[in-house]
Amino acid sequence: FSLTYASSTYGGSGYFNGSTDYLSIAYNSVLNYSSSAPFTFECWFYPTVGSTDNSHIAASQNGSVDANLNWLLRQTAANKVRFVMIQSGGLVVANDSTDSFTLNTWNHVAAVMTGSSTKLWLNGVYQSSQTFNGSQQVNGNITIGAWTSYYTGYISNARYVSSQVYTGTSNFTPSTAPLTAI
């Protein structure tokens, strides 16, 4: 299974230097989610440095401490991807990829939250799901390329959708065309 990404076709990407670069999207009520309004976050990422843990690809938070975190997507020390949701009260629900991502190569990640579960795909291959019972924290800024630590590499076609784009546990072929607003 080989994925390719060419800036001449897809319009380029953002480079994140691992120490100061990130994008921030200010909170807007359209970013809220709940059991009746799930969300999907996906992007292409091209990591240039293996993670020592907590290299944050994207996050949603009300501040810079765990108690204010809503969700995050990060690299782990084993070059895997972790999707974390924080329930009200601070309970952490984490999905880890079973597959590793490849350094210096474009990888696609998709994270989905529904009313009672989280799901994770890496390069179109279903990785894992977790069930949770508490209520979710639902408002906050979204950052791309950082939260409490910074991501090193390129990110392209980051998309947050206030719905469940990928359902079930089926594998899919990630779009190599620019992602659209849906």
Side-chain angles (χ1 to χ4, degrees):
F1 182 60
S2 176
L3 299 173
T4 60
Y5 188 94
S7 62
S8 60
T9 303
Y10 308 118
S13 60
Y15 176 73
F16 298 85
N17 67 8
S19 63
T20 57
D21 293 340
Y22 67 96
L23 298 172
S24 181
I25 302 164
Y27 170 72
N28 182 300
S29 63
V30 88
L31 301 175
N32 282 356
Y33 51 89
S34 66
S35 58
S36 61
F39 77 85
T40 301
F41 178 84
E42 67 181 310
C43 69
W44 285 91
F45 68 106
Y46 186 107
T48 57
V49 174
S51 180
T52 58
D53 211 11
N54 292 331
S55 180
H56 294 115
I57 297 167
S60 172
Q61 79 289 337
N62 298 326
S64 61
V65 296
D66 284 345
N68 298 322
L69 178 67
N70 299 325
W71 61 266
L72 68 85
L73 189 61
R74 68 182 175 116
Q75 294 177 214
T76 70
N79 286 351
K80 297 191 185 263
V81 177
R82 177 172 288 159
F83 176 43
V84 177
M85 288 289 301
I86 307 295
Q87 298 176 158
S88 295
L91 180 62
V92 175
V93 177
N95 289 41
D96 287 339
S97 64
T98 53
D99 297 334
S100 297
F101 59 82
T102 305
L103 287 174
N104 300 307
T105 299
W106 283 106
N107 299 270
H108 181 269
V109 64
V112 172
M113 190 287 301
T114 65
S116 61
S117 68
T118 59
K119 296 180 181 182
L120 180 66
W121 285 262
L122 180 61
N123 294 323
V125 177
Y126 176 76
Q127 301 292 308
S128 63
S129 65
Q130 292 290 330
T131 301
F132 58 91
N133 300 311
S135 60
Q136 307 92 346
Q137 300 181 123
V138 297
N139 57 10
N141 301 329
I142 293 179
T143 55
I144 308 293
W147 179 51
T148 57
S149 64
Y150 294 87
Y151 168 81
T152 305
Y154 300 86
I155 296 176
S156 184
N157 270 292
R159 177 172 73 170
Y160 178 94
V161 180
S162 296
S163 65
Q164 185 178 358
V165 175
Y166 307 104
T167 60
T169 58
S170 298
N171 297 340
F172 63 91
T173 302
S175 174
T176 55
L179 297 174
T180 59
I182 55 174

PDB file of all heavy atoms in Angstrom, residues 78-100:
ATOM      1  N   ALA A  78       6.811   5.273  19.900  1.00  0.00           N
ATOM      2  CA  ALA A  78       6.963   4.104  19.029  1.00  0.00           C
ATOM      3  C   ALA A  78       6.572   4.409  17.582  1.00  0.00           C
ATOM      4  O   ALA A  78       6.332   3.502  16.799  1.00  0.00           O
ATOM      5  CB  ALA A  78       6.103   2.958  19.558  1.00  0.00           C
ATOM      6  N   ASN A  79       6.510   5.704  17.219  1.00  0.00           N
ATOM      7  CA  ASN A  79       6.087   6.130  15.882  1.00  0.00           C
ATOM      8  C   ASN A  79       4.706   5.583  15.532  1.00  0.00           C
ATOM      9  O   ASN A  79       4.459   5.114  14.432  1.00  0.00           O
ATOM     10  CB  ASN A  79       7.113   5.766  14.812  1.00  0.00           C
ATOM     11  CG  ASN A  79       8.326   6.670  14.873  1.00  0.00           C
ATOM     12  OD1 ASN A  79       8.333   7.661  15.598  1.00  0.00           O
ATOM     13  ND2 ASN A  79       9.337   6.344  14.118  1.00  0.00           N
ATOM     14  N   LYS A  80       3.833   5.680  16.497  1.00  0.00           N
ATOM     15  CA  LYS A  80       2.425   5.349  16.309  1.00  0.00           C
ATOM     16  C   LYS A  80       1.642   6.637  16.523  1.00  0.00           C
ATOM     17  O   LYS A  80       2.192   7.661  16.915  1.00  0.00           O
ATOM     18  CB  LYS A  80       2.003   4.268  17.282  1.00  0.00           C
ATOM     19  CG  LYS A  80       2.778   2.972  17.025  1.00  0.00           C
ATOM     20  CD  LYS A  80       2.226   1.816  17.774  1.00  0.00           C
ATOM     21  CE  LYS A  80       3.094   0.606  17.567  1.00  0.00           C
ATOM     22  NZ  LYS A  80       2.626  -0.284  16.560  1.00  0.00           N
ATOM     23  N   VAL A  81       0.348   6.576  16.243  1.00  0.00           N
ATOM     24  CA  VAL A  81      -0.519   7.734  16.429  1.00  0.00           C
ATOM     25  C   VAL A  81      -1.457   7.433  17.588  1.00  0.00           C
ATOM     26  O   VAL A  81      -1.946   6.305  17.724  1.00  0.00           O
ATOM     27  CB  VAL A  81      -1.329   8.031  15.151  1.00  0.00           C
ATOM     28  CG1 VAL A  81      -2.271   9.190  15.368  1.00  0.00           C
ATOM     29  CG2 VAL A  81      -0.396   8.314  13.990  1.00  0.00           C
ATOM     30  N   ARG A  82      -1.709   8.423  18.431  1.00  0.00           N
ATOM     31  CA  ARG A  82      -2.632   8.295  19.562  1.00  0.00           C
ATOM     32  C   ARG A  82      -3.687   9.395  19.464  1.00  0.00           C
ATOM     33  O   ARG A  82      -3.361  10.566  19.308  1.00  0.00           O
ATOM     34  CB  ARG A  82      -1.885   8.411  20.876  1.00  0.00           C
ATOM     35  CG  ARG A  82      -2.811   8.349  22.102  1.00  0.00           C
ATOM     36  CD  ARG A  82      -2.033   8.261  23.390  1.00  0.00           C
ATOM     37  NE  ARG A  82      -1.470   6.916  23.452  1.00  0.00           N
ATOM     38  CZ  ARG A  82      -0.413   6.604  24.210  1.00  0.00           C
ATOM     39  NH1 ARG A  82       0.192   7.516  24.936  1.00  0.00           N
ATOM     40  NH2 ARG A  82       0.031   5.363  24.220  1.00  0.00           N
ATOM     41  N   PHE A  83      -4.952   8.981  19.558  1.00  0.00           N
ATOM     42  CA  PHE A  83      -6.093   9.906  19.597  1.00  0.00           C
ATOM     43  C   PHE A  83      -6.647   9.863  21.010  1.00  0.00           C
ATOM     44  O   PHE A  83      -7.040   8.812  21.502  1.00  0.00           O
ATOM     45  CB  PHE A  83      -7.152   9.474  18.584  1.00  0.00           C
ATOM     46  CG  PHE A  83      -8.416  10.284  18.584  1.00  0.00           C
ATOM     47  CD1 PHE A  83      -8.380  11.670  18.664  1.00  0.00           C
ATOM     48  CD2 PHE A  83      -9.643   9.662  18.474  1.00  0.00           C
ATOM     49  CE1 PHE A  83      -9.552  12.414  18.637  1.00  0.00           C
ATOM     50  CE2 PHE A  83     -10.824  10.389  18.449  1.00  0.00           C
ATOM     51  CZ  PHE A  83     -10.775  11.779  18.539  1.00  0.00           C
ATOM     52  N   VAL A  84      -6.641  11.002  21.690  1.00  0.00           N
ATOM     53  CA  VAL A  84      -7.055  11.087  23.092  1.00  0.00           C
ATOM     54  C   VAL A  84      -8.266  11.995  23.212  1.00  0.00           C
ATOM     55  O   VAL A  84      -8.283  13.096  22.663  1.00  0.00           O
ATOM     56  CB  VAL A  84      -5.901  11.646  23.964  1.00  0.00           C
ATOM     57  CG1 VAL A  84      -6.337  11.811  25.406  1.00  0.00           C
ATOM     58  CG2 VAL A  84      -4.677  10.753  23.869  1.00  0.00           C
ATOM     59  N   MET A  85      -9.275  11.521  23.936  1.00  0.00           N
ATOM     60  CA  MET A  85     -10.434  12.335  24.306  1.00  0.00           C
ATOM     61  C   MET A  85     -10.419  12.474  25.825  1.00  0.00           C
ATOM     62  O   MET A  85     -10.096  11.518  26.530  1.00  0.00           O
ATOM     63  CB  MET A  85     -11.750  11.650  23.905  1.00  0.00           C
ATOM     64  CG  MET A  85     -12.037  11.636  22.438  1.00  0.00           C
ATOM     65  SD  MET A  85     -12.482  13.229  21.739  1.00  0.00           S
ATOM     66  CE  MET A  85     -13.921  13.673  22.660  1.00  0.00           C
ATOM     67  N   ILE A  86     -10.771  13.647  26.317  1.00  0.00           N
ATOM     68  CA  ILE A  86     -10.891  13.870  27.746  1.00  0.00           C
ATOM     69  C   ILE A  86     -12.369  14.059  28.062  1.00  0.00           C
ATOM     70  O   ILE A  86     -13.026  14.929  27.489  1.00  0.00           O
ATOM     71  CB  ILE A  86     -10.103  15.117  28.204  1.00  0.00           C
ATOM     72  CG1 ILE A  86      -8.657  15.051  27.734  1.00  0.00           C
ATOM     73  CG2 ILE A  86     -10.207  15.285  29.712  1.00  0.00           C
ATOM     74  CD1 ILE A  86      -7.838  13.935  28.315  1.00  0.00           C
ATOM     75  N   GLN A  87     -12.878  13.234  28.958  1.00  0.00           N
ATOM     76  CA  GLN A  87     -14.258  13.384  29.392  1.00  0.00           C
ATOM     77  C   GLN A  87     -14.306  14.408  30.513  1.00  0.00           C
ATOM     78  O   GLN A  87     -13.302  14.645  31.193  1.00  0.00           O
ATOM     79  CB  GLN A  87     -14.804  12.047  29.900  1.00  0.00           C
ATOM     80  CG  GLN A  87     -14.829  10.983  28.843  1.00  0.00           C
ATOM     81  CD  GLN A  87     -15.288   9.638  29.362  1.00  0.00           C
ATOM     82  OE1 GLN A  87     -15.710   8.861  28.575  1.00  0.00           O
ATOM     83  NE2 GLN A  87     -15.210   9.353  30.638  1.00  0.00           N
ATOM     84  N   SER A  88     -15.457  14.994  30.730  1.00  0.00           N
ATOM     85  CA  SER A  88     -15.620  15.886  31.866  1.00  0.00           C
ATOM     86  C   SER A  88     -15.214  15.127  33.123  1.00  0.00           C
ATOM     87  O   SER A  88     -15.525  13.956  33.276  1.00  0.00           O
ATOM     88  CB  SER A  88     -17.066  16.362  31.971  1.00  0.00           C
ATOM     89  OG  SER A  88     -17.395  17.144  30.852  1.00  0.00           O
ATOM     90  N   GLY A  89     -14.510  15.803  33.997  1.00  0.00           N
ATOM     91  CA  GLY A  89     -13.986  15.142  35.182  1.00  0.00           C
ATOM     92  C   GLY A  89     -12.571  14.626  34.991  1.00  0.00           C
ATOM     93  O   GLY A  89     -11.958  14.134  35.914  1.00  0.00           O
ATOM     94  N   GLY A  90     -12.046  14.714  33.768  1.00  0.00           N
ATOM     95  CA  GLY A  90     -10.647  14.389  33.529  1.00  0.00           C
ATOM     96  C   GLY A  90     -10.339  12.964  33.117  1.00  0.00           C
ATOM     97  O   GLY A  90      -9.178  12.624  32.951  1.00  0.00           O
ATOM     98  N   LEU A  91     -11.350  12.094  32.921  1.00  0.00           N
ATOM     99  CA  LEU A  91     -11.080  10.729  32.499  1.00  0.00           C
ATOM    100  C   LEU A  91     -10.537  10.721  31.072  1.00  0.00           C
ATOM    101  O   LEU A  91     -11.111  11.339  30.180  1.00  0.00           O
ATOM    102  CB  LEU A  91     -12.360   9.887  32.577  1.00  0.00           C
ATOM    103  CG  LEU A  91     -12.232   8.428  32.156  1.00  0.00           C
ATOM    104  CD1 LEU A  91     -11.262   7.686  33.067  1.00  0.00           C
ATOM    105  CD2 LEU A  91     -13.594   7.760  32.177  1.00  0.00           C
ATOM    106  N   VAL A  92      -9.437  10.032  30.877  1.00  0.00           N
ATOM    107  CA  VAL A  92      -8.770   9.987  29.577  1.00  0.00           C
ATOM    108  C   VAL A  92      -9.166   8.708  28.838  1.00  0.00           C
ATOM    109  O   VAL A  92      -9.103   7.620  29.398  1.00  0.00           O
ATOM    110  CB  VAL A  92      -7.234  10.021  29.746  1.00  0.00           C
ATOM    111  CG1 VAL A  92      -6.536   9.857  28.408  1.00  0.00           C
ATOM    112  CG2 VAL A  92      -6.809  11.304  30.439  1.00  0.00           C
ATOM    113  N   VAL A  93      -9.567   8.850  27.586  1.00  0.00           N
ATOM    114  CA  VAL A  93      -9.847   7.718  26.709  1.00  0.00           C
ATOM    115  C   VAL A  93      -8.884   7.836  25.537  1.00  0.00           C
ATOM    116  O   VAL A  93      -8.898   8.827  24.820  1.00  0.00           O
ATOM    117  CB  VAL A  93     -11.316   7.746  26.217  1.00  0.00           C
ATOM    118  CG1 VAL A  93     -11.574   6.608  25.257  1.00  0.00           C
ATOM    119  CG2 VAL A  93     -12.266   7.699  27.396  1.00  0.00           C
ATOM    120  N   ALA A  94      -8.014   6.816  25.351  1.00  0.00           N
ATOM    121  CA  ALA A  94      -6.980   6.907  24.326  1.00  0.00           C
ATOM    122  C   ALA A  94      -7.063   5.745  23.346  1.00  0.00           C
ATOM    123  O   ALA A  94      -7.230   4.603  23.757  1.00  0.00           O
ATOM    124  CB  ALA A  94      -5.596   6.926  24.967  1.00  0.00           C
ATOM    125  N   ASN A  95      -6.968   6.060  22.060  1.00  0.00           N
ATOM    126  CA  ASN A  95      -6.853   5.061  20.997  1.00  0.00           C
ATOM    127  C   ASN A  95      -5.431   5.126  20.466  1.00  0.00           C
ATOM    128  O   ASN A  95      -4.981   6.197  20.057  1.00  0.00           O
ATOM    129  CB  ASN A  95      -7.757   5.409  19.809  1.00  0.00           C
ATOM    130  CG  ASN A  95      -9.207   5.245  20.084  1.00  0.00           C
ATOM    131  OD1 ASN A  95      -9.680   5.585  21.150  1.00  0.00           O
ATOM    132  ND2 ASN A  95      -9.926   4.741  19.122  1.00  0.00           N
ATOM    133  N   ASP A  96      -4.760   3.996  20.419  1.00  0.00           N
ATOM    134  CA  ASP A  96      -3.436   3.927  19.817  1.00  0.00           C
ATOM    135  C   ASP A  96      -3.519   3.171  18.502  1.00  0.00           C
ATOM    136  O   ASP A  96      -4.251   2.181  18.396  1.00  0.00           O
ATOM    137  CB  ASP A  96      -2.450   3.199  20.733  1.00  0.00           C
ATOM    138  CG  ASP A  96      -2.047   4.035  21.926  1.00  0.00           C
ATOM    139  OD1 ASP A  96      -2.187   5.265  21.872  1.00  0.00           O
ATOM    140  OD2 ASP A  96      -1.590   3.442  22.919  1.00  0.00           O
ATOM    141  N   SER A  97      -2.750   3.621  17.529  1.00  0.00           N
ATOM    142  CA  SER A  97      -2.689   2.868  16.279  1.00  0.00           C
ATOM    143  C   SER A  97      -1.925   1.569  16.538  1.00  0.00           C
ATOM    144  O   SER A  97      -1.021   1.522  17.367  1.00  0.00           O
ATOM    145  CB  SER A  97      -2.017   3.684  15.175  1.00  0.00           C
ATOM    146  OG  SER A  97      -0.671   3.968  15.487  1.00  0.00           O
ATOM    147  N   THR A  98      -2.319   0.531  15.835  1.00  0.00           N
ATOM    148  CA  THR A  98      -1.567  -0.717  15.911  1.00  0.00           C
ATOM    149  C   THR A  98      -0.407  -0.679  14.923  1.00  0.00           C
ATOM    150  O   THR A  98       0.627  -1.290  15.154  1.00  0.00           O
ATOM    151  CB  THR A  98      -2.476  -1.931  15.621  1.00  0.00           C
ATOM    152  OG1 THR A  98      -3.152  -1.708  14.386  1.00  0.00           O
ATOM    153  CG2 THR A  98      -3.491  -2.114  16.729  1.00  0.00           C
ATOM    154  N   ASP A  99      -0.594   0.064  13.835  1.00  0.00           N
ATOM    155  CA  ASP A  99       0.455   0.229  12.827  1.00  0.00           C
ATOM    156  C   ASP A  99       1.309   1.447  13.157  1.00  0.00           C
ATOM    157  O   ASP A  99       0.836   2.387  13.795  1.00  0.00           O
ATOM    158  CB  ASP A  99      -0.149   0.425  11.434  1.00  0.00           C
ATOM    159  CG  ASP A  99      -0.952  -0.787  10.977  1.00  0.00           C
ATOM    160  OD1 ASP A  99      -0.665  -1.906  11.441  1.00  0.00           O
ATOM    161  OD2 ASP A  99      -1.874  -0.595  10.167  1.00  0.00           O
ATOM    162  N   SER A 100       2.531   1.439  12.692  1.00  0.00           N
ATOM    163  CA  SER A 100       3.409   2.603  12.830  1.00  0.00           C
ATOM    164  C   SER A 100       3.308   3.462  11.581  1.00  0.00           C
ATOM    165  O   SER A 100       3.082   2.949  10.485  1.00  0.00           O
ATOM    166  CB  SER A 100       4.864   2.160  13.002  1.00  0.00           C
ATOM    167  OG  SER A 100       5.023   1.415  14.180  1.00  0.00           O
TER     168      SER A 100
END
